Amino acid sequence: MTGLVEWVDFPPLGDERGSLVALEGQKTVPFAIRRVYYLFGTKEGVSRGFHAHRNLLQVAVCVTGSCRIVLDDGRSREEAVLDSPTRGLFIRNMVWREMHDFTPDCVLLVLASEHYDEADYIRDYGQFRSELGGDAYAQARR
Ligand code: TYD
């Protein structure tokens, strides 16, 4: 069983001049990339996310600064600190995510498997738990 926190290490391509990371769909990143977005200038004390996606796969990487991401699959809740431009966090579908503790310089780059689709979002935690169905509750009881 895979843990909720799945890191993707990016091969370092830097040399004596400095660092370089290349992200390629279906190679470095475990899906074809249809969308890229980034969060920056997040105000102090602001938390974001608080949703899950029905189908979307994502890899998030802090290219500058750091933040903390909480993942919840209805059975367990785990957290990860993103503070490296050479390591991304793979976030699967049907995983509730919350993002906290953005440093003022944080640039959180997100690679996504699908175009933006509001219908893919589950923004209510109770709805998320109910869409997971009895399976999640059954496994939680083990
Ligand atoms: P949202 O995903 O709700 O932000 P958070 O990171 O806090 O979960 O997105 C904020 C707004 O931006 C929302 O109105 C939807 C819009 N948006 C797009 O139009 N395209 C995108 O690719 C993303 C990620 C968001």
Side-chain angles (χ1 to χ4, degrees):
M1 184 67 181
T2 317
L4 262 177
V5 174
E6 297 178 74
W7 295 108
V8 184
D9 285 310
F10 306 141
L13 302 172
D15 52 33
E16 65 286 349
R17 296 169 298 169
S19 303
L20 193 157
V21 164
L23 303 178
E24 297 189 61
Q26 295 173 302
K27 286 175 86 176
T28 353
V29 169
F31 48 79
I33 300 163
R34 285 223 174 81
R35 177 166 54 110
V36 176
Y37 64 92
Y38 42 95
L39 305 179
F40 61 100
T42 307
K43 301 283 187 288
E44 197 180 343
V46 167
S47 294
R48 303 196 58 144
F50 301 95
H51 64 254
H53 287 281
R54 295 185 172 92
N55 294 306
L56 189 71
L57 304 175
Q58 294 185 308
V59 166
V61 52
C62 265
V63 292
T64 297
S66 69
C67 68
R68 180 170 59 90
I69 300 191
V70 175
L71 301 178
D72 179 339
D73 65 357
R75 290 184 298 121
S76 62
R77 219 172 144 82
E78 294 179 26
E79 62 176 48
V81 172
L82 278 66
D83 59 3
S84 169
T86 63
R87 197 166 74 153
L89 181 66
F90 181 33
I91 308 175
R92 295 177 188 266
N93 62 317
M94 291 309 284
V95 171
W96 184 266
R97 83 285 316 270
E98 300 171 5
M99 296 171 275
H100 308 281
D101 301 342
F102 288 87
T103 56
D105 61 342
C106 179
V107 178
L108 181 65
L109 178 74
V110 183
L111 312 167
S113 65
E114 306 296 336
H115 294 142
Y116 174 73
D117 176 12
E118 184 58 36
D120 186 61
Y121 280 73
I122 307 173
R123 294 190 183 274
D124 178 82
Y125 189 77
Q127 175 70 19
F128 167 65
R129 293 298 300 248
S130 91
E131 290 196 26
L132 282 171
D135 187 39
Y137 290 100
Q139 290 184 48
R141 281 198 301 271
R142 272 186 212 143

